[in-house]
Amino acid sequence: MVDYDRRKLIASNHTFTHILNFALREVLGDHVDQKGSIVLPENLRFDFSHGKPVKPEELKKIESIVNEQIKDEMDVFAKEVYPDPVRVVAIGRKVEDLLSDPQSEEWLSISAELCGGTHISNTREAKAFALLSEEGIAKGIRRVTTVTLDYALKAAELASSLGQEANEASKTEGSLLEQKVRSLNGRVESLPIPTAKKAELKVKLSVLQAFHLS
């Protein structure tokens, strides 16, 4: 028996394997090559070639590119191509359009890959995208963990709530401020929020600590 709810979750993350790969190459360069991925109902783990840690501003840009593709409500197309039967998945343009003019530079702005898996039919179905972590796992190999759907919406809500708390904390002084900053630092570190936002909040809290607790 097919678990359609689970399949829907996996389909969203599977489609965003392709979009994430595209966004990584857009921001970091053409040297980025997928080295592995694990698509689960609750998240997507993606390994890729890159020789150094990805900067917070780069992560923010990657996340922004992916979310723009959700806002643009792009259709996801798939077609088997012959003579060697391979399935091409293209996001935002029909596969036939790509095949009619394979050398067109227009296709540089879309994601198109060979894939036999299950996908959503339009990017809007993913609701939102959040990049939760980035780390090195081997020499020249980085790993990001991301979420879509309600997991991503929740991550954004948590980040916004922590940001508001940090703003409120800035209006306090002395031991109360110290207590609030300590509590916020712990939650920023442990809660599943976008990693670029996590970096911003850490800077904000360190500034609060430096200027108000010195």
Side-chain angles (χ1 to χ4, degrees), residues 5-7 9-10 13 39-44 148-149 151:
D5 289 337
R6 185 175 187 275
R7 186 174 180 176
L9 294 172
I10 288 175
N13 285 331
V39 180
L40 301 170
E42 63 273 13
N43 64 36
L44 158 67
T148 59
L149 298 163
Y151 296 102

Side-chain angles (χ1 to χ4, degrees), residues 23-24 27-29 50 52-65 131 134 195-196:
L24 286 165
V27 175
L28 302 178
H50 190 58
K52 56 187 176 181
V54 184
K55 299 173 184 175
E57 58 267 28
E58 292 172 327
L59 293 169
K60 188 174 183 179
K61 192 172 180 181
I62 290 161
E63 193 173 67
S64 176
I65 288 172
L131 200 162
E134 188 274 342
T195 190

Side-chain angles (χ1 to χ4, degrees), residues 196-213:
K197 191 65 180 177
K198 182 176 287 191
E200 289 177 12
L201 284 167
K202 282 182 177 179
V203 169
K204 191 170 192 174
L205 291 170
S206 66
V207 168
L208 266 179
Q209 206 158 19
F211 284 91
H212 293 273
L213 297 179

Side-chain angles (χ1 to χ4, degrees), residues 6 15 28 32 44 71 107 114 120 143 151 158 160 162 164-165 171 173 175 178 180 198 200:
R6 185 175 187 275
T15 298
L28 302 178
V32 168
L44 158 67
K71 290 176 187 173
W107 312 143
L114 302 179
I120 54 179
R143 170 175 291 167
Y151 296 102
L158 276 172
S160 177
L162 290 168
Q164 290 172 6
E165 283 192 58
K171 300 171 186 176
E173 296 179 355
S175 60
E178 187 174 5
K180 286 187 175 183
K198 182 176 287 191
E200 289 177 12

Side-chain angles (χ1 to χ4, degrees), residues 139-176:
K139 187 175 181 180
I141 306 293
R142 310 297 299 178
R143 170 175 291 167
V144 290
T145 301
T146 73
V147 289
T148 59
L149 298 163
D150 292 336
Y151 296 102
L153 293 173
K154 182 66 175 176
E157 287 170 11
L158 276 172
S160 177
S161 176
L162 290 168
Q164 290 172 6
E165 283 192 58
N167 290 338
E168 289 298 316
S170 67
K171 300 171 186 176
T172 62
E173 296 179 355
S175 60
L176 180 58

Side-chain angles (χ1 to χ4, degrees), residues 59-86:
L59 293 169
K60 188 174 183 179
K61 192 172 180 181
I62 290 161
E63 193 173 67
S64 176
I65 288 172
V66 176
N67 275 305
E68 279 300 315
Q69 296 212 4
I70 295 174
K71 290 176 187 173
D72 288 345
E73 300 189 346
M74 301 170 75
D75 286 329
V76 180
F77 299 96
K79 182 178 177 62
E80 284 198 354
V81 178
Y82 297 90
D84 296 324
V86 293

Side-chain angles (χ1 to χ4, degrees), residues 7 10-11 14-15 18 76-78 87-89 113-120:
R7 186 174 180 176
I10 288 175
H14 191 187
T15 298
H18 292 223
V76 180
F77 299 96
R87 186 165 177 262
V88 178
V89 174
E113 296 186 35
L114 302 179
C115 182
T118 302
H119 290 271
I120 54 179

